[in-house]
Amino acid sequence: MKKLFILAFALFIINSAFGQISAKLMRYMDVSETQITFVYGGDIWIVAKVGGTAMQMTHSPGEESWPKFSPDGKHIAYTAHYNGNSDIFTMPVTGGIPTRVTYNSSSDRMIDWHPNGKQILFASARENGVNRLNQFFLVDKKGGFPEKLPIPYGELASYSPSGNQLAYITKITEDYPFKRYRGGLTSDIIIYDTKSNKTERITTNEANDGKPAWAGDKVYFLSDRDENMRLNIWEYDTKSKEKKQITKFKDFDISFLSAGPSELIFEMGGDLHLMNLATQKYKKVAVN
């Protein structure tokens, strides 16, 4: 009986060690038509859009971040910090050996796929000589010489569906460790027209406006401009030029936002949430 008890206890410990847990504090999430990708523990994971058990895509000692689905949902481009430097890599959503895209001693941050599915937008300080100021570059998804965009500097951005416009920010102040900052370093959303080479600042207040995500005719972004000074989702209608608040969370800030073909994916209170763009209703995604 004693041996049986010890065996049963050992099996319980083994099962507990390999049991599934509910994932929290996922970072850098993105959504395709069928899947969600995110970073957890410094690696990239992928899970069905309905939730469930996630599959680990990377297993390196280096840290991966900023994963983004290609327009067709078949590849993920991301930043990886290998051998002391951050560069852009791509890999199929089915897994496999990553393909290195950029080769430079400066750090490169993955920003967005061009809607044509052939180019990748990234941010880097490789040409300005000041590590604190990044600029945008376009590069072929298979590598090659990057093309610098005629924008003085920028940090995060999102393409319009046509690829003719780019919503971007020049500072990432919504991630500051202190909350509800009001000062000269707050960020605003700017739209750059690739055809006319002109820009339009669509937010002009003292609040923090960041994480632009373009979907359809609307630019979604995070802002703490409401009375609770919480980072919530707002939308800017590119046709009517009107802005309105979409979510009204009071207990936690939304820490990250990204747009897919038909949904927004965001993190709030440690959990992933998926919002249908047609109904603007959201639900929590349970991830093991």
Side-chain angles (χ1 to χ4, degrees), residues 53-72:
T53 300
M55 178 176 67
Q56 189 172 351
M57 301 291 290
T58 61
H59 299 264
S60 73
E63 182 178 356
E64 290 88 13
S65 57
W66 304 99
K68 295 287 290 185
F69 283 110
S70 59
D72 62 7

Side-chain angles (χ1 to χ4, degrees), residues 1-181:
M1 177 64 77
K2 183 177 180 181
K3 291 182 178 179
L4 182 62
F5 173 79
I6 293 175
L7 177 61
F9 182 76
L11 290 174
F12 171 78
I13 294 297
I14 293 172
N15 183 65
S16 299
F18 289 93
Q20 297 174 352
I21 62 170
S22 178
K24 298 283 185 179
L25 301 176
M26 293 160 279
R27 309 176 68 197
Y28 308 120
M29 61 289 309
D30 193 33
V31 60
S32 69
E33 283 286 5
T34 58
Q35 296 175 304
I36 294 170
T37 184
F38 59 88
V39 171
Y40 185 79
D43 283 301
I44 293 175
W45 298 67
I46 198 167
V47 68
K49 198 166 63 174
V50 295
T53 300
M55 178 176 67
Q56 189 172 351
M57 301 291 290
T58 61
H59 299 264
S60 73
E63 182 178 356
E64 290 88 13
S65 57
W66 304 99
K68 295 287 290 185
F69 283 110
S70 59
D72 62 7
K74 295 182 179 180
H75 288 80
I76 295 174
Y78 58 95
T79 292
H81 191 82
Y82 302 147
N83 301 317
N85 192 64
S86 296
D87 290 287
I88 308 298
F89 290 78
T90 64
M91 70 184 308
V93 295
T94 52
I97 299 174
T99 298
R100 185 171 179 176
V101 178
T102 63
Y103 294 80
N104 192 275
S105 58
S106 294
S107 295
D108 299 328
R109 180 197 301 133
M110 174 62 196
I111 299 296
D112 199 11
W113 284 82
H114 192 281
N116 63 21
K118 300 177 181 179
Q119 296 170 294
I120 290 172
L121 181 72
F122 67 94
S124 177
R126 59 176 61 197
E127 289 190 14
N128 63 19
V130 182
N131 289 330
R132 293 181 293 106
L133 300 176
N134 286 312
Q135 296 172 307
F136 292 132
F137 295 83
L138 265 178
V139 65
D140 189 277
K141 66 179 182 180
K142 297 180 181 179
F145 291 104
E147 170 195 354
K148 184 170 69 173
L149 271 60
I151 297 175
Y153 52 94
E155 295 293 341
L156 298 177
S158 179
Y159 271 107
S160 66
S162 67
N164 293 331
Q165 292 176 298
L166 187 71
Y168 73 98
I169 59 174
T170 59
K171 299 178 287 291
I172 311 179
T173 52
E174 70 273 17
D175 284 345
Y176 277 6
F178 44 88
K179 302 295 183 181
R180 292 160 283 283
Y181 168 75

Side-chain angles (χ1 to χ4, degrees), residues 153-220:
Y153 52 94
E155 295 293 341
L156 298 177
S158 179
Y159 271 107
S160 66
S162 67
N164 293 331
Q165 292 176 298
L166 187 71
Y168 73 98
I169 59 174
T170 59
K171 299 178 287 291
I172 311 179
T173 52
E174 70 273 17
D175 284 345
Y176 277 6
F178 44 88
K179 302 295 183 181
R180 292 160 283 283
Y181 168 75
R182 297 293 185 268
L185 292 178
T186 53
S187 62
D188 283 312
I189 311 296
I190 304 170
I191 292 181
Y192 168 68
D193 191 298
T194 63
K195 299 296 185 181
S196 65
N197 205 30
K198 295 181 179 179
T199 60
E200 176 189 6
R201 189 179 297 268
I202 64 173
T203 61
T204 56
N205 59 66
E206 64 177 6
N208 294 284
D209 301 319
K211 300 290 191 307
W214 203 315
D217 295 325
K218 297 176 181 178
V219 177
Y220 298 89

